[in-house]
Amino acid sequence: MNTKKGLLLFLITGITVLFLLAGCNTQESAGNEGSNDNAEDTNAEEANEDSGTNDEEASSEKIVVGFSQIGAESGWRTAETESIKETLGNDPQFDLKFSDAQQKQENQIKALRTFIAQKVDIIALAPVVESGWETILTEAKDAGIPVVLLDRGIDVEDESLYTSFIGSDFILEGENAANELINLMGEDSKVNIVELQGTVGASAANDRMEGFANVISENPNYEIIKSQTGEFTRSKGKEVMEAFLKSDGDNIDAVYAHNDDMALGAIQAIEEYGLKPGEDIKIVSVDGIKDIFEAVADGKANIIVECNPLLGPQLAQAAKDLQAGKEIERWIKTDESVYVGAEEAKAALPDRKY
Ligand code: GYE
């Protein structure tokens, strides 16, 4: 072999080796190596439920969405999780990576860090609390991964740290709750209200509290005599209501619950205390899960301020648009209603989807 031929062979071999190596890399990122997940997974149930703990990489053919969910504290949240798993999990265009944070921000931060390492295309985050997101969202931004906030908002100075927020106007929900309560009980009645707040530091709790207080503070006959967190759960809502009844029993005219689960817990506490929820103590609640519609239909609660958890379709659309390089709206809102009294609840019940 002469030197020219030797050089040519050397070059061809070198190029082939480089080519094979590059091929290997792409395969690795498409193949979700070393996990129980694979690129063919279209069903979120089969998708990695624990993305926070492994370091597989994202598929390149599908739109890979890493979703960090808060937990499963309420009927609302379960409905939201189902909507997202159904919509993105059943659509072959998507590869959904689902991670449940069990109410802990640190778990959400870990999950996001894993999503970044996996090079997902889009991060969807339902943030448990409003503050403390700067560092991790800067990491996502530096990695060029758009972050879509789902259902709760965050408090950051640099607004470029997230692309969009899909969810409700919680201040408006609080205002609606107060206005409907005043309509129901009359401007001139003297009304003592106890408030069951959601998770401390959550935007859904902060804003529902603010909106309600905005309206109530304008009416001197209405007073919030007690306000405490029931952590958006039935059991805690019941426990806190029991304490309120113990200290203020017959002075309580109305309960304002930041979500239905706490309202349902309060209804139980009131019944066990020997009073009639919906009559002796009026109940206004936010969300609109089936159980509260049933309670209102039975006369045990009075006002439902709807907050829609079925955000899967909006997230899917936003992800497709982002992937196609389109601009998406900064705040994607949903249509929501208010239901008052047994007749409205009965009429709406057959069509309730969550
Ligand atoms: O109202 C409540 C929950 O963030 C809007 O979180 C959501 C709230 C919802 O668990 O039930």
Side-chain angles (χ1 to χ4, degrees), residues 73-74 76-77 151-152 170 204 208 232 259 287 307:
E73 72 282 1
S74 64
W76 189 98
R77 191 151 305 286
D151 93 67
R152 289 187 193 170
F170 301 133
R208 284 173 186 166
F232 279 133
N259 86 343
D287 274 358
C307 177

Side-chain angles (χ1 to χ4, degrees), residues 188-201:
D188 301 326
S189 321
K190 174 92 188 76
V191 176
N192 288 334
I193 304 160
V194 295
E195 180 177 26
L196 293 167
Q197 300 170 22
T199 302
V200 175

Side-chain angles (χ1 to χ4, degrees), residues 149-212:
L149 299 180
L150 217 59
D151 93 67
R152 289 187 193 170
I154 59 171
D155 193 9
V156 281
E157 254 175 46
D158 178 0
E159 298 264 298
S160 77
L161 290 180
Y162 65 91
T163 307
S164 186
F165 167 63
I166 303 177
S168 310
D169 184 338
F170 301 133
I171 294 189
L172 183 67
E173 289 174 351
E175 289 172 351
N176 287 341
N179 282 320
E180 293 297 340
L181 185 67
I182 295 172
N183 275 346
L184 181 77
M185 303 192 75
E187 279 195 15
D188 301 326
S189 321
K190 174 92 188 76
V191 176
N192 288 334
I193 304 160
V194 295
E195 180 177 26
L196 293 167
Q197 300 170 22
T199 302
V200 175
S203 70
N206 291 343
D207 292 355
R208 284 173 186 166
M209 186 153 63
E210 187 182 326
F212 191 79

